[in-house]
Amino acid sequence: MGKGRGNRMSEADELCFFALLRAGLWDREVDISLFKHSVDWNLIMEHGRKQTVLGVIADGIEKLPHELLPPLAVRRKLQQNLLLIRQGHIRLNNVLTEVWKKLTDAGICPVLLKGQGMAQNYIYPEQRQCGDIDLYVGEEQYDAACRLMESYGKVDGYESETFLHRHFHRNGITVEIHRIAAYMSEPSSNKYFQELTCKYLKDRRCGFGKLRGTAISLPPANFDAIFIFYHFVRHFVHGGIGLRQICDWMLCLHVRKEEIDKESVLREIRILGLERFWRLFGCVAVDYLGLPKEEFPGYVSVDRKKVMRAVQVIFEAGNFGHYFYDTSKRPETYYRGKLFAFYYHFRWMVRIFPFDPWLLLRVGMVNFRNSMKVALAHR
């Protein structure tokens, strides 16, 4: 746990942080015995923001007795942040339902990935900090979906495309139209992952959820258990994640536990070569976030020190690694910028290497080879 150096929380404050987070996640009482010391509320709020779980932390704070509440100035600032979080949900839900109707009216069958689908698993969905909208349409309907999105509102010049998806911006919200759900660096693992996507999404084995009266297609529980996990592991390997991503995955496992085929999920995780990270983050979900062991597929206890190091790394990097990689110092010239990025990425890989050396070595070699190809092809 933290050692109270710099902006790192003391061990006592970190215990308070996770007590509040668990209380907000599970709608449970807070262990008030943890709050008898002088709590550094500003630091707890800072990490709640960096981990994008501030709304859930606020739910936990509401369960404290009046004498243990944060100072009035901290509570006022927290309420301002909560207002912005809730307003973000309203804007995002409005854009989602509008886009969804336009796509389905045109005969396109999207599937909502992550985001607002995950938010529905929280006690108070509007307290989960939201990001963008990810809609999977597949290769066959991708071009038609993009053409429709181009005609939806005014093109603002911020649209961009990768081989994975195309970004559109509407009313301050990013909408990503996916031709494929995700990809893996290693060709053999990626081939199997694409087979899973076809199995679960292209064959339309999706369920439906209601959002503001609109029926939204959601992935099957098995796919979400694997996809949400792989999505945050990929970001973890490439620079870091926030606790919100683990909370999303954990609540998916909890809320949809009756739908999940645990043996099938474990088999697919093994084939994808992600078993070590599955066990590691499973311990984070159980030991720090409060998931019952019996609800985690294949729970195996991992060395306590390794789990603590993983949590420490998550706190250091923050949401998607924004607090590890200082982009403001990146040189403007192309090759110097590449070297700068390589330096930070190498430092990060050294930091996380002990968690799964063999996997990270393979991924690192593939990524380095691909980066060299891009750099050498640059003109």
Side-chain angles (χ1 to χ4, degrees):
M1 292 190 179
K3 299 178 181 179
R5 188 177 65 226
N7 67 340
R8 287 169 59 177
M9 288 184 287
S10 67
E11 183 171 350
D13 283 339
E14 191 171 303
L15 288 171
C16 290
F17 178 93
F18 279 107
L20 294 169
L21 184 58
R22 287 191 298 271
L25 287 168
W26 303 102
D27 196 21
R28 297 173 182 167
E29 294 304 312
V30 182
D31 182 359
I32 62 174
S33 67
L34 299 173
F35 293 80
K36 300 302 184 183
H37 70 290
S38 179
V39 179
D40 189 338
W41 284 108
N42 287 320
L43 196 53
I44 287 179
M45 294 300 106
E46 178 187 347
H47 282 287
R49 178 179 58 81
K50 288 182 177 180
Q51 300 298 319
T52 59
V53 292
L54 198 56
V56 186
I57 291 287
D59 291 335
I61 289 174
E62 288 186 357
K63 300 180 181 300
L64 290 173
H66 185 268
E67 64 272 16
L68 295 179
L69 289 173
L72 183 59
V74 173
R75 300 205 305 271
R76 284 176 175 169
K77 187 173 182 180
L78 179 58
Q79 288 302 316
Q80 292 171 355
N81 281 291
L82 291 180
L83 179 61
L84 293 175
I85 291 171
R86 291 165 185 157
Q87 289 174 341
H89 272 277
I90 293 172
R91 289 198 307 273
L92 193 145
N93 287 340
N94 286 340
V95 172
L96 173 57
T97 52
E98 288 173 10
V99 171
W100 194 273
K101 187 175 187 306
K102 288 183 179 294
L103 290 172
T104 54
D105 285 351
I108 297 168
C109 304
V111 180
L112 178 63
L113 303 175
K114 307 177 292 166
Q116 295 308 88
M118 291 297 103
Q120 305 315 303
N121 295 328
Y122 285 72
I123 301 294
Y124 302 106
E126 69 279 3
Q127 298 286 89
R128 174 194 179 270
Q129 287 177 248
C130 52
D132 52 18
I133 298 171
D134 294 81
L135 297 175
Y136 171 84
V137 297
E139 294 276 4
E140 297 83 1
Q141 296 185 315
Y142 177 75
D143 289 338
C146 288
R147 285 196 299 270
L148 187 148
M149 286 298 298
E150 287 174 351
S151 66
Y152 168 46
K154 182 180 179 181
V155 176
D156 57 18
Y158 289 98
E159 286 74 13
S160 61
E161 186 171 22
T162 70
F163 74 94
L164 186 67
H165 47 53
R166 186 167 180 183
H167 293 76
F168 297 89
H169 296 265
R170 295 295 178 266
N171 300 328
I173 301 297
T174 300
V175 181
E176 295 182 357
I177 302 296
H178 285 249
R179 58 157 62 96
I180 59 176
Y183 72 96
M184 300 187 73
S185 299
E186 294 180 284
S188 59
S189 297
N190 184 58
K191 182 176 183 294
Y192 185 68
F193 188 85
Q194 301 313 319
E195 291 173 358
L196 288 181
T197 301
C198 181
K199 171 185 174 181
Y200 287 116
L201 300 186
K202 288 190 177 181
D203 293 341
R204 303 305 173 198
R205 296 168 56 191
C206 302
F208 288 89
K210 284 285 186 180
L211 185 66
R212 295 179 70 243
T214 301
I216 303 291
S217 299
L218 300 172
N222 267 36
F223 181 80
D224 262 349
I226 296 168
F227 173 68
I228 300 301
F229 168 73
Y230 171 66
H231 178 259
F232 79 68
V233 167
R234 178 175 177 80
H235 280 288
F236 182 76
V237 169
H238 286 85
I241 55 170
L243 285 169
R244 188 196 67 188
Q245 283 73 41
I246 304 179
C247 291
D248 283 355
W249 173 59
M250 179 194 71
L251 290 178
C252 173
L253 296 176
H254 168 69
V255 172
R256 307 186 72 180
K257 57 182 178 290
E258 301 300 330
E259 304 172 56
I260 294 174
D261 182 340
K262 292 183 178 181
E263 291 186 4
S264 177
V265 166
L266 288 173
R267 180 176 64 254
E268 288 161 355
I269 287 294
R270 282 194 293 268
I271 294 173
L272 292 171
L274 298 172
E275 196 169 15
R276 285 192 178 184
F277 275 122
W278 180 267
R279 292 176 176 175
L280 175 68
F281 287 111
C283 286
V284 174
V286 171
D287 298 344
Y288 284 82
L289 302 178
L291 180 71
K293 289 182 181 179
E294 62 273 14
E295 292 183 8
F296 185 77
Y299 177 83
V300 176
S301 181
V302 175
D303 179 67
R304 177 69 176 170
K305 291 183 178 179
K306 182 175 287 189
V307 180
M308 290 170 64
R309 283 199 303 272
V311 172
Q312 181 180 324
V313 166
I314 291 169
F315 272 120
E316 288 178 4
N319 188 47
F320 294 132
H322 291 323
Y323 303 95
F324 181 83
Y325 183 82
D326 187 357
T327 56
S328 66
K329 297 180 180 179
R330 179 171 178 145
E332 294 184 4
T333 58
Y334 180 81
Y335 287 110
R336 286 186 178 181
K338 281 286 185 182
L339 287 173
F340 178 85
F342 176 78
Y343 165 73
Y344 267 97
H345 185 64
F346 179 77
R347 278 183 56 196
W348 179 255
M349 292 295 282
V350 170
R351 190 81 178 86
I352 67 172
F353 191 75
F355 297 129
D356 192 341
W358 179 231
L359 173 65
L360 293 171
L361 184 62
R362 298 197 311 271
V363 170
M365 291 177 65
V366 171
N367 290 341
F368 179 74
R369 182 188 64 195
N370 292 341
S371 295
M372 288 299 294
K373 287 181 178 179
V374 172
L376 292 173
H378 175 72
R379 294 291 183 270

